[in-house]
Amino acid sequence: MKKILGIASVVLAGFSGMAQEKEAPAPATIREGKHKFSLQWIGWGEQFGSVEIKKVNDSTYYVKGEQRSEDSLDFASIDGNLIMLTPRRLRFEGTILTKVRTMNNNEVCDKTGTYTFFASGVRKYWRLQEMDNCEEGAAVDYVDIFF
């Protein structure tokens, strides 16, 4: 009986390991200085914005920056504190503002409060997990801070 239970636990452990998502290493601390920042509606590549990150204490960092469209009519901005819970999970306390002229009646979407950024899988960026745009389910915003 013990032998059967031992084999079953080895088999189950193998299956549970298969279901786990592979993760790329993330930094043990957040690098201070300039980082890429983006909202997918504005664009990637040459249209990245940037944020400045400064260490406040062992696990807290101040972040501030923005991304703007070429004509400056669309933007995303961030201002607040990042608290490192794990290298891949950050708590954000502050304000994220987004404005995309084709969304939310061309009004600013204000997210002020406590939110989570997470780097899943092999991603090299933390993504805001509370993705709903102010259009109440009509759109999803991908707000990203790159390592």
Side-chain angles (χ1 to χ4, degrees), residues 20-127:
Q20 292 176 353
E21 186 175 315
K22 182 179 177 179
E23 291 188 351
T29 61
I30 299 174
R31 176 182 51 82
E32 290 187 82
K34 193 173 184 178
H35 291 250
K36 290 180 187 175
F37 177 69
S38 70
L39 172 66
Q40 91 276 18
W41 306 115
I42 299 173
W44 286 298
E46 292 184 25
Q47 291 184 314
F48 278 116
S50 67
V51 294
E52 188 72 26
I53 296 179
K54 296 179 183 175
K55 188 171 188 171
V56 175
N57 62 39
D58 285 345
S59 62
T60 303
Y61 298 80
Y62 176 69
V63 60
K64 183 175 177 122
E66 68 178 14
Q67 178 187 25
R68 290 199 167 266
S69 60
E70 287 183 18
D71 59 11
S72 292
L73 295 175
D74 299 332
F75 68 88
S77 67
I78 187 168
D79 187 358
N81 288 316
L82 293 168
I83 296 94
M84 182 177 272
L85 304 174
T86 72
R88 301 196 72 75
R89 185 173 302 278
L90 308 174
R91 184 173 64 232
F92 172 76
E93 297 172 354
T95 299
I96 298 170
L97 301 174
T98 60
K99 182 176 177 290
V100 178
R101 71 194 101 178
T102 59
M103 304 174 75
N104 195 34
N105 296 317
N106 198 28
E107 294 180 17
V108 173
C109 179
D110 182 336
K111 292 185 178 183
T112 298
T114 301
Y115 299 96
T116 301
F117 279 88
F118 180 66
S120 68
V122 296
R123 291 183 174 153
K124 303 278 189 209
Y125 52 85
W126 296 283
R127 174 163 284 166

